[in-house]
């Protein structure tokens, strides 16, 4: 098995085919998405130059996932904010902040699942998503507020700008969209049961 620092190496050829050197098989972007969900570490290299193109391939997977499912994880307001940081003095801080935020969210998600399982178990009440959805909604609200506070620390003029109330409206809209998506998910789950 060819590995690079304990990670599986995926080679991307000029014909866009991806070759998993760990399993000696060709893989698709969907296969790589499954590997990510399983927590498998890998790097993607250009087969000809040896250049590390992992970032581009992971971004491509996100784009395909967003296009396929119709259930987007990245709200438009978030994408706009992210784009606005390119070339900005904040550009160097954003990747680290997002990485820490996602790790904190993942940790909170694990804790919340454990608490729900302890509190409700396999009872019908435990399968009712109203309480867990309220917890998720509250956590999203707190994380959004923390993000804005952190951005204001690095850019104090942001708070004084006349558009300072616009992000609040966008947040409310995003939260309303999340609520609607969660209600739809709850309805689907209730219909399954």
């Amino acid at each position: 098995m060819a590995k690079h620092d304990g990670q599986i190496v995926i080679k991307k050829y000029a014909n866009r085919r991806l070759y998993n050197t760990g399993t000696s098989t060709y893989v698709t972007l969907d296969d790589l998405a499954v590997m990510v969900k399983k927590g498998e570490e890998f790097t993607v290299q250009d087969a000809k130059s040896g250049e590390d193109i992992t970032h581009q391939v992971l971004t491509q997977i996100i784009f395909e996932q967003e296009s396929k499912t119709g259930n987007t994880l990245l709200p438009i307001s978030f994408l706009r904010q992210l784009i606005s940081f390119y070339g900005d003095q904040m550009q160097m801080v954003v990747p680290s902040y997002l990485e820490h935020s996602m790790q904190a969210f993942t940790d909170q998600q694990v804790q919340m699942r454990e608490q729900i399982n302890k509190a409700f178990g396999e009872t019908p009440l435990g399968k009712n998503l109203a309480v867990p959805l309220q917890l998720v909604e509250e956590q999203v609200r707190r994380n959004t507020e923390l993000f804005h506070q952190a951005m204001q620390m690095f850019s104090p003029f942001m708070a004084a700008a006349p558009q300072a109330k616009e992000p609040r409206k966008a947040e409310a809209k995003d939260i309303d969209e999340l609520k609607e998506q969660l209600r739809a998910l709850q309805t689907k789950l209730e219909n399954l049961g």
Side-chain angles (χ1 to χ4, degrees):
M1 272 205 237
K3 292 193 176 194
H4 183 263
D5 293 332
Q7 294 181 352
I8 298 169
V9 176
I10 308 293
K11 300 267 185 180
K12 184 172 184 182
Y13 290 92
N15 63 3
R16 297 186 184 154
R17 290 195 72 184
L18 298 163
Y19 184 77
N20 182 334
T21 60
T23 60
S24 299
T25 58
Y26 285 99
V27 294
T28 64
L29 291 175
D30 287 335
D31 295 328
L32 295 182
V34 169
M35 290 172 68
V36 168
K37 289 176 183 180
K38 288 181 178 178
E40 296 179 26
E41 295 288 328
F42 61 85
T43 58
V44 183
Q45 296 177 354
D46 182 278
K48 187 174 183 180
S49 69
E51 176 187 1
D52 185 343
I53 57 171
T54 307
H55 186 270
Q56 292 93 331
V57 171
L58 292 176
T59 304
Q60 187 177 0
I61 290 170
I62 292 169
F63 176 76
E64 285 198 5
Q65 292 294 316
E66 291 274 312
S67 299
K68 266 188 211 177
T69 63
N71 296 329
T72 60
L73 289 179
L74 304 173
I76 290 174
S77 60
F78 173 80
L79 293 172
R80 290 181 194 275
Q81 287 175 331
L82 192 60
I83 290 168
S84 72
F85 287 123
Y86 283 95
D88 186 84
Q89 61 189 1
M90 296 299 299
Q91 183 173 344
M92 294 183 341
V93 177
V94 173
S96 174
Y97 176 79
L98 290 176
E99 186 175 350
H100 291 294
S101 295
M102 287 303 294
Q103 185 59 50
F105 179 77
T106 301
D107 294 345
Q108 291 165 354
Q109 184 182 25
V110 168
Q111 290 174 355
M112 188 168 37
R113 284 184 180 164
E114 289 173 358
Q115 290 173 352
I116 290 169
N117 286 337
K118 285 179 187 175
F120 302 110
E122 291 298 319
T123 66
L125 184 59
K127 293 179 181 176
N128 179 0
L129 292 180
V131 173
L133 293 180
Q134 289 170 351
L135 294 172
V136 169
E137 181 182 317
E138 182 58 32
Q139 193 58 52
V140 167
R141 193 173 290 124
R142 280 190 297 230
N143 287 346
T144 303
E145 189 173 312
L146 286 172
F147 177 76
H148 282 289
Q149 288 173 356
M151 290 301 108
Q152 287 176 352
M153 282 181 6
F154 292 108
S155 180
F157 302 109
M158 197 171 140
Q163 298 174 346
K165 293 190 178 191
E166 290 302 315
R168 294 284 181 212
K169 289 179 185 176
E171 285 177 31
K173 184 178 178 185
D174 288 343
I175 290 173
D176 289 340
E177 288 175 9
L178 283 172
K179 285 180 185 178
E180 187 58 39
Q181 290 174 0
L182 292 171
R183 282 189 202 104
L185 178 62
Q186 183 176 6
T187 302
K188 287 180 184 177
L189 289 172
E190 288 173 355
N191 290 338
L192 290 174

